[in-house]
Amino acid sequence: ASDARKVAGVLQRRYGFEVKLLTDASRYDVLAALNELREGLLPEDNLVVYFAGHGELDAASKQGYWVPVDGQQDDASTWISNRAISDILNTMQALHVMVVADSCYSGAMTRASVPSFNAAMNDAQWSQWVLDRNVSRSRTALTSGGLAPVPDASAGGNSLFAQAFVTALEDNNQLLEGQRLF
C-alpha cells in the first residue's frame, strides 16, 4: 500500500492525473475498477495502472496472474490473469494506456518488442516522432521483473522497483516517453 500511495501522489502532484487508489483490493474490486474505467474513459484520455502486489505464474501455460488480497494459494481461479487485464485495457477507448506492474512474474504480461525510439535523432526528428506517437493508440507495460520472482522490499520498506519508478518520475523535468522511463 505504501508503494501505491507514493506512486499515486507523484502521478497526481507532478503529472496532473486523477487518481483512484485501491489498497488491499479484492479480485472484484480490481476488475470492477478496470471495467468502470473502460466505460468512462474517452478517446482523448490517458491511463496509468499501477499494480504492486503478489504475482503468480502458471508453469504449464506461462500465463501470469495478479494475486488480489482475497486470492487463494494454488487456486488460479481466484487470481486475475494478465490476459483478462489486457483484454479490458485493449477495449478501452483511452488513447494511451500504460500498466506498471511491480510483482513477481510480471514479465509474463509483455511481449518483447524492438524499441522504435532512436536516441541519435536531432531535435526536429524527435519532435516529429513524439507528435506521431501522440496521436497513435498505444498499450504499454513496464514490469519489475521477467518470468521470475522479484525482491519484495528494500531496507526502507518500499520495493526497489517502486523506489526507482518514483525517483524517475520525481526527477523528470521534460517530456518523458515510455522508452526513456524504461
Side-chain angles (χ1 to χ4, degrees), residues 147-158:
L147 300 177
V150 296
D152 281 337
S154 68
N158 295 100

Side-chain angles (χ1 to χ4, degrees), residues 29-38 49 66 85 88-89 92:
D29 294 335
V30 172
L31 292 173
L34 290 173
N35 279 309
E36 181 181 315
L37 289 166
R38 175 174 52 189
V49 176
W66 291 356
I85 295 161
I88 293 170
L89 298 177
M92 287 182 177

Side-chain angles (χ1 to χ4, degrees), residues 71-132:
Q72 303 294 314
Q73 186 174 2
D74 300 321
D75 185 358
S77 68
T78 65
W79 306 338
I80 307 168
S81 73
N82 289 343
R83 185 172 297 124
I85 295 161
S86 294
D87 286 348
I88 293 170
L89 298 177
N90 285 335
T91 59
M92 287 182 177
Q93 292 186 65
L95 185 61
H96 302 294
V97 175
M98 175 180 267
V99 174
V100 181
D102 186 4
S103 64
C104 295
Y105 310 109
S106 55
M109 178 168 263
T110 64
R111 286 174 270 158
S113 65
V114 177
S116 59
F117 177 79
N118 179 352
M121 287 189 276
N122 64 38
D123 288 345
Q125 291 169 323
W126 184 79
S127 294
Q128 188 59 52
W129 182 86
V130 168
L131 290 172
D132 292 345

Side-chain angles (χ1 to χ4, degrees):
S2 174
D3 290 339
R5 281 196 255 303
K6 284 184 99 163
V7 170
V10 72
L11 288 175
Q12 189 171 32
R13 186 181 70 259
R14 295 271 334 263
Y15 295 89
F17 276 87
E18 291 179 30
V19 173
K20 179 172 186 168
L21 179 64
L22 303 178
T23 58
D24 297 323
S26 69
R27 183 177 194 279
Y28 176 82
D29 294 335
V30 172
L31 292 173
L34 290 173
N35 279 309
E36 181 181 315
L37 289 166
R38 175 174 52 189
E39 297 299 320
L41 292 176
L42 301 173
E44 62 271 13
D45 291 329
N46 298 311
L47 173 67
V48 174
V49 176
Y50 178 80
F51 175 78
H54 296 290
E56 288 291 339
L57 183 72
D58 180 304
S61 68
K62 300 293 187 225
Q63 174 66 40
Y65 294 86
W66 291 356
V67 180
V69 71
D70 60 344
Q72 303 294 314
Q73 186 174 2
D74 300 321
D75 185 358
S77 68
T78 65
W79 306 338
I80 307 168
S81 73
N82 289 343
R83 185 172 297 124
I85 295 161
S86 294
D87 286 348
I88 293 170
L89 298 177
N90 285 335
T91 59
M92 287 182 177
Q93 292 186 65
L95 185 61
H96 302 294
V97 175
M98 175 180 267
V99 174
V100 181
D102 186 4
S103 64
C104 295
Y105 310 109
S106 55
M109 178 168 263
T110 64
R111 286 174 270 158
S113 65
V114 177
S116 59
F117 177 79
N118 179 352
M121 287 189 276
N122 64 38
D123 288 345
Q125 291 169 323
W126 184 79
S127 294
Q128 188 59 52
W129 182 86
V130 168
L131 290 172
D132 292 345
R133 295 314 170 279
N134 195 44
V135 297
S136 301
R137 191 172 184 269
S138 68
R139 301 296 183 262
T140 308
L142 173 61
T143 64
S144 62
L147 300 177
V150 296
D152 281 337
S154 68
N158 295 100
S159 80
L160 297 172
F161 177 83
Q163 284 180 333
F165 182 60
V166 168
T167 298
L169 294 175
E170 288 282 7
D171 291 349
N172 179 52
N173 58 7
Q174 61 185 4
L175 175 69
L176 183 62
E177 73 281 345
Q179 187 173 341
R180 193 178 314 240
L181 175 60
F182 300 153

